[in-house]
Amino acid sequence: MSEIQGFVENIIFRNPENAYTVLTLETDTGEETLVGFFEYIDVGAEIAAEGEISESAGYGPQFRVSSYRIITPETASAMLRYLSAGAVRGIGPALARRIVKKFGEDTFRIFEEEPSRLSEVKGISDRKAREIARSYEEVALTRRVLIFLTGYGISPALSIRLYEKYKDEIYSIIEENPYRLTWEVEGIGFRTADEIAVKAGISPDSPGRIRAGVLYCLMSAGTEGSTCLPEELLLERGAALLRVSAEEVKSAVEELVMERYLVLRRQNGISMVFTRELFRKEAECARMLRELGERDMDSGVNASDELPGIEKRKGISLDEAQREAVLKAITENLLIITGGPGTGKTTLIQVLLSYYVSKGQHVLLSAPTGRAAKRLSEAARYPAATIHRMLEVNGPPEEDGEGAGRFERNEANPLEADIVIVDEMSMVDIYLFHALLSAISPGTSLIMVGDEHQLPSVGPGAVLHDLMKSGLIPVVRLTHIFRQAEESDIVMNAHAVLTGSELKLNNDSRDFFFLERKGTEEIIQGIIYLVGKKLPGYVGCESGGIQVMSPMKKGELGIYNLNERLREALNGASKERREVHYSGGTLREGDKVMQIKNNYERAWRIELPGKILPEEGKGVFNGDMGFVEHVDALGNVTVRFDDGRRSVYEKESLKELELSFAITIHKSQGSEYPAVVIPLLSGPPLLMTRNILYTAITRAKNAVVIIGSRQTLLRMAENIHEQKRYTGLEERIAESGRFERNTDGADFSQEMSGL
């Protein structure tokens, strides 16, 4: 090992995830290339590094650093070099020379102790002196914080996020209660916080650790779709996570219930534990539903008389269930309409719209996602918007908490409508449902349309199922498959999957095909051929309209590998297509992409034909899909989404996107594609289930191609397992007659920080 000392002249490469850095160092003997892990480093900084020289193929000799330290500049020349490099915002080489000439080796003491004296330098006003001092302090604080956090094993990228969120408060959080990070910072799980706590000297059996573990178990249940957990299951999970006894976990649960962080309720003879926030959301939904259902409606007699005229004008004939749905929609203030493909849900919406419009009533039509709203609008021939846009989203949840966001439309400023129709209700979680109900005033009718057999929402809750089981809201089930739909093997096979009937797999079909393939490479080559050549012409769309869907993320037939293989085949590297490299991979013009997290602040615009000014707004949400339209010289990426919105992503925000040539079946909810290709060979039983297969098949409009193992397909159709969701909305509706609104305005995330 040897030591080398000098000034950082240039940072050639830096991986923000792990701080791996390639830099050039100016030493007394010349320029050296250093490679290693530098948690925090500035151009112009003086460092002393230990390591050894090694040869790198193609790059020559490099000094591989095993450890280093930053040397505080003490000489005037060292201070001048540091300031001239631009480390302190507002100071360039010329100004740096004037500052150091004025103060010499006392320069940094002036920055720290007498920053107002900077105004003595020509060209620095009192205001600029304050700005320079703030910038210098921010640089120094950032360096201290990052060095402190990396001592706890926290990556540089995460350290920067923590610093940006907490500033110098992070010291006390790490040393006193790092478990806060599990519910306040995305990407930090309990195990990470626990490792930090061990290094901070927090005892494994400390009450704070056990309480944090309990809360983490409940939050993890939320990511699985549950709003609560049976107490016994919570004790079991808590004990396994914390490696303590169930009695210790139970004691922590009891304390949290007494302090009103948690709520304990008996449901069907079982003790269920909720976070107070989710309990309140379900209880308030129950109250608002009761209030909506109290208004007297029309008798429906006139509607019954008018239905024949509507049917004649539209050239349709409603079946008995559809007629019942129309009359209930007019005579009831709340209604659920459910049915599978081909049972006439869209036709029913068209009839209802025709009736309401003829009566001069204002209808709002919506769906959870942009693609679903666009499809609904085209099918119903009536404007439709996402629920977020209908409610006029204006920001993320308060205090970075959980939820659907903040909306302009709420109880104080309700939607101006006589009727609100929401399609794809199976996708709506408890947070979005709460926001929706908050914006609907008594006197407005709410009609919810969905397929009860589709996969449930990604977020917590089983809203549609709980509403249907509650007995509070009338439910009309559409079961008759209309003659036109009977001609579609997509529709017939989807219903065969639901009923456990025999699938039609003989390829004597116009829209449903099964291709038996035995190996992964054979399947991948088949997918590439189908998407790139065969299906676009068959269904009349470009290859980008064909959607590959897999039950899995990982493995050779998981979406991660399929996306790389499909991009290579369909949108390979080319001089004509710009691309940008970032810590998460590469994005290229023409890539098919999906937004993977809600960003309430992301700006977008739509160029509207015939209008001079574009429509503008904010909010891009998990599941929104589009194409990379442009990559500029700075690495900024313009994405054009399927509904026409364009948004520009700066390089540092590209992690919000991922390739979507292939997507998981879960992510396909609410969407419809000209054709879908589904690879099935093997996979975990929890992902190879009947309702996942049903959801995949029903996403196709004109063609389904399943490629892989017949045995796997048939096993999947027989596997009726569904992951259990624990919720309380049904029970809160039953209790809602006795429910008193909670007026306690305390913020949940603030209370959690006090644990």
Side-chain angles (χ1 to χ4, degrees), residues 265 276 279-291 434 731-743:
R265 280 289 188 276
R276 194 186 70 184
F279 179 83
R280 188 164 57 189
K281 282 283 188 287
E282 289 187 326
E284 289 184 350
C285 283
R287 170 187 62 81
M288 291 186 284
L289 285 167
R290 285 285 183 189
E291 292 174 356
H434 183 273
E731 286 72 16
R732 300 294 81 75
I733 290 173
E735 298 169 356
S736 59
R738 302 187 301 277
F739 177 70
E740 295 181 4
R741 187 175 184 186
N742 189 335
T743 57

Side-chain angles (χ1 to χ4, degrees), residues 90-118:
I91 299 179
L95 186 54
R97 282 194 296 272
R98 295 202 297 272
I99 293 173
V100 175
K101 182 178 180 181
K102 173 72 175 176
F103 299 114
E105 294 181 358
D106 214 21
T107 296
F108 281 7
R109 189 193 65 78
I110 296 295
F111 272 89
E112 295 169 0
E113 299 177 11
E114 300 179 84
S116 61
R117 289 191 58 194
L118 290 170

Side-chain angles (χ1 to χ4, degrees), residues 687-732:
L687 294 177
M688 311 296 283
T689 65
R690 175 180 291 181
N691 67 332
I692 289 177
L693 178 61
Y694 173 77
T695 298
I697 291 173
T698 55
R699 297 307 90 202
K701 182 177 182 180
N702 298 318
V704 168
V705 181
I706 298 176
I707 180 169
S709 163
R710 181 184 296 266
Q711 187 178 12
T712 298
L713 169 61
L714 296 179
R715 274 203 309 265
M716 196 171 181
E718 294 170 357
N719 183 3
I720 61 173
H721 175 85
E722 292 184 38
Q723 184 172 349
K724 174 68 175 174
R725 288 195 173 203
Y726 299 99
T727 63
L729 180 58
E730 180 186 357
E731 286 72 16
R732 300 294 81 75

Side-chain angles (χ1 to χ4, degrees), residues 20-276:
Y20 180 77
T21 305
V22 180
L23 58 84
T24 55
L25 195 74
E26 184 181 334
T27 71
D28 292 338
T29 58
E31 186 179 282
E32 299 283 352
T33 300
L34 274 62
V35 295
F37 297 91
F38 293 83
E39 287 79 12
Y40 186 83
I41 203 77
D42 277 329
V43 172
E46 184 177 3
I47 66 170
E50 285 191 343
E52 56 187 17
I53 294 178
S54 65
E55 283 289 334
S56 173
Y59 295 98
Q62 296 179 331
F63 189 89
R64 296 195 170 273
V65 176
S66 58
S67 65
Y68 75 99
R69 68 184 189 278
I70 296 175
I71 299 172
T72 303
E74 294 179 349
T75 66
S77 61
M79 293 176 184
L80 175 60
R81 183 185 294 270
Y82 180 76
L83 293 176
S84 297
V88 178
R89 191 170 53 251
I91 299 179
L95 186 54
R97 282 194 296 272
R98 295 202 297 272
I99 293 173
V100 175
K101 182 178 180 181
K102 173 72 175 176
F103 299 114
E105 294 181 358
D106 214 21
T107 296
F108 281 7
R109 189 193 65 78
I110 296 295
F111 272 89
E112 295 169 0
E113 299 177 11
E114 300 179 84
S116 61
R117 289 191 58 194
L118 290 170
S119 62
E120 297 175 15
V121 177
K122 183 181 178 181
I124 299 181
S125 63
D126 289 340
R127 188 181 72 175
K128 186 165 185 177
R130 291 192 295 271
E131 291 174 352
I132 290 173
R134 280 196 298 269
S135 177
Y136 175 83
E137 175 56 28
E138 187 175 334
V139 169
L141 176 60
T142 302
R143 182 190 295 122
R144 289 195 298 269
V145 168
L146 294 186
I147 292 172
F148 168 76
L149 291 175
T150 53
Y152 287 91
I154 300 173
S155 72
L158 184 53
S159 295
I160 290 171
R161 285 176 52 207
L162 293 176
Y163 167 71
E164 290 174 347
K165 181 176 178 65
Y166 297 110
K167 301 301 181 186
D168 56 356
E169 185 191 357
I170 190 63
Y171 292 105
S172 60
I173 292 173
I174 293 294
E175 292 171 348
E176 296 170 11
N177 182 19
Y179 298 104
R180 274 180 61 177
L181 304 178
T182 62
W183 55 78
E184 292 182 356
V185 180
E186 182 183 0
I188 293 188
F190 183 84
R191 297 195 186 282
T192 300
D194 212 24
E195 290 171 3
I196 297 170
V198 169
K199 293 177 181 176
I202 296 174
S203 172
D205 60 354
S206 70
R209 176 177 183 267
I210 298 174
R211 288 154 65 97
V214 168
L215 292 169
Y216 180 75
C217 286
L218 284 172
M219 287 186 291
S220 296
T223 65
E224 299 166 0
S226 294
T227 62
C228 57
L229 281 179
E231 185 179 19
E232 289 302 315
L233 180 57
L234 175 59
L235 300 184
E236 178 185 320
R237 289 187 179 184
L241 174 71
L242 296 160
R243 299 181 298 280
V244 299
S245 69
E247 289 73 20
E248 290 174 285
V249 179
K250 185 175 179 63
S251 177
V253 170
E254 290 171 350
E255 290 175 7
L256 290 165
V257 170
M258 289 181 62
E259 295 168 17
R260 299 180 63 225
Y261 292 118
L262 302 182
V263 175
L264 189 65
R265 280 289 188 276
R266 296 285 292 181
Q267 292 182 186
N268 300 319
I270 300 173
S271 292
M272 307 295 290
V273 185
F274 301 76
T275 62
R276 194 186 70 184

Side-chain angles (χ1 to χ4, degrees), residues 481-493:
I481 302 174
F482 285 84
R483 185 173 62 187
Q484 185 176 356
E486 285 180 341
E487 298 173 1
S488 166
D489 288 321
I490 295 175
V491 171
M492 300 312 293
N493 271 337

